[in-house]
Amino acid sequence: MTHTPPPHPEVAPSGGQGGQGRSLWHHADFRRLWAGDTASQLGVALGALAIPYLAVTVLHANEFQMGLLATLGGLGFLIIGLPAGAIVDRYAKRSIMLLVDLLRALLLLSLPVAGWLGLLGIVQVMVVATAIGMSTVFFDVSYQSYLPLLVHRDHVVEGNAKLQASQSVSMAAGPAIGGLVLTWLGALPVIGVNAVGYLLSAVGLSRIRHRETPAPRAHRRPMRVEIAEGLRFIVRHPLLRRLIACTGLGNLAGAAIGALIVLYQVRDLHLSALTIGIVDSAAAVGGLFGALITTRLARRIGEGAAITVTAAAMLVC
């Protein structure tokens, strides 16, 4: 009589609560993840405008401070982007996401509390932006690798589609709604709404019953070995090197514009928060349209040519 060993805890569930042939609508744990993610994404979209708007209108930040604020917000992806994946693989991903949601909520809530006490300053805003950016790296890495552990492999595409739909709707509608709420309530209450979104996401994650067990410590390779392997693969791959250079330069230019866009809209164009939100929503809708035509464009002219053409179009705009 042979004995079949149990599946590795990091392997995707064979059927989950939804079963292999049923929609994820019937998967209770996925519904909890989806509801929490939707609340988090909407909160982020509502509050994405609030922090730079707070810095410009309340704290009277100058060009250098706005650039520094944007740099610190993205610093986490530069500093811990590489080791984040290796770190996440060593711990339960649901627990990481739960802790990160709670941390981000507390960080954001510190801003309205300091504002109401008359203690808010640009340094605190920069510290909060830095900490949130770094913690978000861990959330994103955990989040991307958690879904295949939660649902059957046949449902991963459906799950990604549902989660992406929530994100897309939030990105399209959130800035306009955020601009409207900013007009009514001001930046600090909107930041509070963003924090509530993270808290609701944490509630959804805490109610998920599925638990995964990380690989035993004895089975782990040294983190520096895993990071070095990833770097060697990228450096030795000629196409990846070019893509990274192209993406890096594009992100550099985009970050430079993004750092000063709210300052320009408020001080030079004298736009209201609602108008700025509508502009951001229109940009998000344009991004959604671009995503819809990307596959057709790449098939017609080729992937490399599609990158060149779209980059040229951005330059003209």
Side-chain angles (χ1 to χ4, degrees):
M1 179 177 180
T2 59
H3 173 69
T4 303
H8 191 279
E10 287 291 316
V11 175
S14 59
Q17 298 171 15
Q20 185 172 353
R22 305 178 70 189
S23 167
L24 287 180
W25 288 105
H26 302 282
H27 195 302
D29 277 349
F30 176 79
R31 292 200 307 269
R32 296 181 182 110
L33 175 67
W34 192 14
D37 176 67
T38 301
S40 176
Q41 293 291 346
L42 186 58
V44 170
L46 289 174
L49 175 60
I51 288 182
Y53 192 80
L54 171 73
V56 172
T57 60
V58 177
L59 301 177
H60 308 292
N62 57 33
E63 289 82 356
F64 172 76
Q65 290 171 328
M66 292 299 294
L68 184 58
L69 178 62
T71 300
L72 293 175
L75 195 61
F77 292 90
L78 177 64
I79 294 179
I80 58 177
L82 282 174
I87 294 173
V88 164
D89 281 341
R90 285 161 165 74
Y91 301 95
K93 297 168 183 60
R94 170 187 165 277
S95 298
I96 293 176
M97 293 189 291
L98 182 59
L99 290 174
V100 168
D101 271 340
L102 294 174
L103 175 61
R104 291 188 294 188
L106 290 175
L107 287 168
L108 286 176
L109 286 174
S110 72
L111 297 180
V113 169
W116 293 330
L117 294 176
L119 302 175
L120 183 64
I122 190 65
V123 173
Q124 181 184 354
V125 174
M126 290 183 178
V127 170
V128 168
T130 305
I132 288 179
M134 290 189 173
S135 58
T136 297
V137 175
F138 287 99
F139 185 93
D140 289 349
V141 173
S142 302
Y143 181 78
Q144 291 168 6
S145 55
Y146 183 63
L147 181 64
L149 306 179
L150 183 66
V151 303
H152 191 276
R153 59 181 175 271
D154 293 340
H155 289 151
V156 170
V157 173
E158 178 191 353
N160 278 323
K162 285 179 166 58
L163 295 171
Q164 184 60 45
S166 295
Q167 182 179 3
S168 298
V169 171
S170 298
M171 288 175 58
I177 298 174
L180 181 62
V181 178
L182 274 173
T183 302
W184 288 345
L185 302 178
L188 290 176
V190 174
I191 292 174
V193 172
N194 191 357
V196 171
Y198 286 134
L199 290 175
L200 292 175
S201 176
V203 170
L205 290 170
S206 68
R207 297 181 63 230
I208 293 177
R209 296 178 181 177
H210 170 75
R211 298 291 185 272
E212 86 272 16
T213 304
R217 185 180 298 273
H219 296 170
R220 303 173 186 169
R221 293 184 301 165
M223 189 181 303
R224 65 179 180 275
V225 173
E226 296 180 356
I227 295 174
E229 285 182 355
L231 282 174
R232 282 197 298 269
F233 178 78
I234 293 173
V235 171
R236 293 174 180 175
H237 198 295
L239 180 58
L240 284 179
R241 289 202 307 268
R242 293 183 178 91
L243 286 175
I244 290 173
C246 175
T247 304
L249 290 173
N251 288 341
L252 177 63
I257 295 172
L260 299 176
I261 187 66
V262 174
L263 187 69
Y264 175 69
Q265 289 171 325
V266 172
R267 294 188 181 174
D268 294 336
L269 300 181
H270 307 290
L271 300 181
S272 67
L274 177 58
T275 303
I276 296 173
I278 293 173
V279 171
D280 289 348
S281 288
V285 171
L288 293 177
F289 177 74
L292 292 175
I293 66 171
T294 296
T295 301
R296 181 176 299 179
L297 180 64
R299 287 176 179 172
R300 181 175 294 272
I301 66 175
E303 294 176 352
I307 295 175
T308 303
V309 168
T310 52
M314 293 177 61
L315 180 63
V316 172
C317 294

